[in-house]
């Protein structure tokens, strides 16, 4: 599957089959995150792979989204230097983690898996559940697994037309 096909096929999957992810597939997904770029090549991030059902349930409770606990794996993408800024004033930690997460979600599609970025979670609770220190920040949770039948059926995923998001030469509102 080429990258364009993976991008087209990717959608948020919130319902999973009761089937574990094979370790070799999971490793390829994590490898996609590992090789993704980061500012100054800092690589100041960790991927916490949560397989334990009790831990997944605790994470899910903190998201108030039960589907999170229904995934066989939840990957917590953690920035270990969340406050570091680039020269432009933008924090590189969340940016680097978002790039890694996107690489992983596209790799998941190529592996026949599905995932959903979850940003609605309680930072403190999830830190405690996973043993993440205060100095680090969980940027996103990625529940991942085999999509249940119908879970990938494209609902309406409207996107703005290109002429509303692309400006030429100068920013236009
Ligand atoms: C940063 C971010 C945070 C998100 N948080 C959640 C979330 O907490 N729960 C959820 O169900 N979906 C979440 N989503 C998924 C979006 O709702 C979804 O990507 C969007 O509606 C577009 O649909 P699509 O992913 O199927 O293309 C999040 C997506 C992003 C990028």
């Amino acid at each position: 599957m080429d990258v364009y096909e993976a991008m087209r096929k990717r959608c948020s999957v919130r319902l999973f089959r009761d089937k574990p992810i094979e370790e070799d597939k999971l490793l390829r997904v994590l490898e996609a995150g590992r090789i993704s770029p980061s500012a100054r090549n800092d690589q100041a991030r960790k991927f916490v792979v949560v397989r334990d059902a009790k831990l997944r349930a605790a994470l899910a409770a903190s998201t108030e989204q039960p589907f999170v606990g229904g995934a066989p794996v939840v990957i917590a993408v953690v920035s270990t230097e969340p406050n570091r800024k680039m020269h432009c004033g933008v924090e590189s930690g969340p940016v680097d983690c978002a790039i890694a997460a996107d690489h992983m979600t596209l790799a998941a599609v190529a592996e026949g898996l599905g995932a959903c970025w979850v940003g609605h979670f309680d930072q403190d609770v999830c830190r405690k559940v996973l043993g993440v220190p205060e100095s680090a920040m969980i940027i996103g949770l990625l529940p991942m697994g085999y999509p249940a039948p119908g879970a990938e059926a494209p609902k309406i995923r409207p996107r703005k037309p290109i002429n509303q998001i692309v400006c030429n030469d100068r920013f236009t509102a």
Side-chain angles (χ1 to χ4, degrees):
M1 182 182 298
D2 76 20
V3 70
Y4 288 104
E5 190 182 350
M7 287 189 289
R8 270 194 306 273
K9 278 196 169 165
R10 188 217 58 83
C11 63
S12 291
V13 170
R14 300 182 177 88
L15 194 60
F16 302 94
R17 283 168 64 193
D18 186 16
K19 173 178 159 72
I21 302 178
E22 296 84 347
E23 287 298 317
D24 59 325
K25 287 194 178 188
L26 187 55
L27 194 58
R28 286 194 290 274
V29 169
L30 295 165
E31 177 68 5
R34 185 185 76 82
I35 64 175
S36 71
S38 60
R40 291 170 303 249
N41 202 24
D42 273 348
Q43 305 170 65
R45 57 198 177 194
K46 294 265 195 180
F47 311 140
V48 184
V49 182
V50 186
R51 301 177 180 84
D52 182 273
K54 278 192 185 144
L55 294 177
R56 285 188 284 116
L59 294 177
S62 113
T63 68
E64 302 170 319
Q65 299 173 88
F67 82 86
V68 174
V73 166
V74 178
I75 303 173
V77 183
V78 179
S79 171
T80 54
E81 291 182 17
N83 301 318
R84 187 176 267 205
K85 284 196 174 156
M86 295 178 279
H87 191 71
C88 60
V90 175
E91 285 166 356
S92 54
V95 173
D96 293 345
C97 284
I99 294 168
D102 206 48
H103 270 54
M104 289 193 278
T105 54
L106 291 176
V109 173
E111 296 292 345
L113 302 167
C116 180
W117 181 306
V118 170
H120 181 106
F121 60 89
D122 186 306
Q123 183 70 232
D124 293 332
V125 170
C126 289
R127 270 200 187 116
K128 276 201 193 89
V129 170
L130 301 178
V132 174
E134 289 271 327
S135 57
M137 183 169 263
I138 304 165
I139 304 300
L141 301 175
L142 298 177
M144 193 175 285
Y146 284 94
E152 287 176 303
K155 302 183 199 100
I156 303 165
R157 300 159 55 206
R159 298 293 196 259
K160 293 178 183 175
I162 197 118
N163 63 0
Q164 275 184 28
I165 54 171
V166 174
C167 313
N168 292 301
D169 293 329
R170 302 268 297 163
F171 178 89
T172 47

